[in-house]
Amino acid sequence: MRNRIVLFAFIMLAGISISKAQNTVIKANLLSPLVRTGSFFIEHKLNDNSSIQLGLLYTGNTWDDTKIRGWGITPEYRFYLSDSPAPKGFFVAPYARYLHYNLENEVNDEATLNGLGAGLIIGQQYIFKKRVSFEWFFGPGYTSADVDAKSGTEEDFDTGNWDGFTLRAGLTLGIAF
């Protein structure tokens, strides 16, 4: 049921902006499949200098003999600093992030990881032929992650990849409408 509500909200937001060119961009991170993750974004223009973006990710990966399955959500507010109106040009964006992962190690111990973080990225978004978007971004972030072991102990799971300072980066390709 929750998936249907999210899909309905996504379609409604996209439908609202169809009548106004380049107010909404739907995009995918081209780098995320390298780490067996799907990362998708929807950005909506607020005015000529700003937009909001919501990122969703799902991962199914293995790090150091630990299977990771879960999702994350990343809202951000973008300030466009270039002469062209949003969503084109150079931007600075503070963001927040929530992660929820299920972990399983090689001896079948299980745990849940919940992470809360924030950071700041810079990037540049290009719009080609009034419909195709390409973007690069990167910047530092910090995440505080808590592990709740269902079997085994919290020390059985390495949270070094999610707990502490990180670098967030990506290349996206999308459709603007």
Side-chain angles (χ1 to χ4, degrees), residues 141 167 176:
L167 179 65

Side-chain angles (χ1 to χ4, degrees), residues 67-156:
K67 293 179 187 174
I68 300 117
R69 305 286 179 267
W71 56 272
I73 187 167
T74 307
E76 63 186 61
Y77 184 85
R78 292 183 166 198
F79 300 97
Y80 280 86
L81 304 174
S82 55
D83 291 335
S84 56
K88 294 189 328 187
F90 183 79
F91 63 85
V92 175
Y95 70 88
R97 174 171 274 176
Y98 175 75
L99 303 171
H100 177 80
Y101 295 152
N102 294 312
L103 311 175
E104 183 180 332
N105 66 16
E106 59 191 9
V107 293
N108 294 326
D109 291 331
E110 295 181 2
T112 301
L113 179 141
N114 290 299
L116 189 59
L120 182 71
I121 60 170
I122 63 168
Q124 177 96 22
Q125 183 161 243
Y126 306 91
I127 307 289
F128 302 103
K129 304 275 186 187
K130 296 185 180 181
R131 293 288 178 244
V132 178
S133 76
F134 178 77
E135 166 188 309
W136 61 265
F137 65 86
F138 71 95
Y142 183 84
T143 301
S144 176
D146 292 319
V147 174
D148 180 21
K150 296 180 185 348
S151 59
T153 66
E154 292 176 8
E155 289 77 29
D156 295 330

Side-chain angles (χ1 to χ4, degrees), residues 29-70:
N29 189 339
L30 301 174
L31 299 180
S32 60
L34 297 174
V35 290
R36 295 187 59 187
T37 300
S39 182
F40 305 93
F41 308 92
I42 185 166
E43 178 180 2
H44 188 73
K45 175 181 174 176
L46 297 175
N47 57 46
D48 283 347
N49 300 319
S50 65
S51 70
I52 55 173
Q53 178 169 281
L54 182 65
L56 301 171
L57 70 87
Y58 178 80
T59 191
N61 203 343
T62 301
W63 292 89
D64 297 331
D65 300 322
T66 299
K67 293 179 187 174
I68 300 117
R69 305 286 179 267

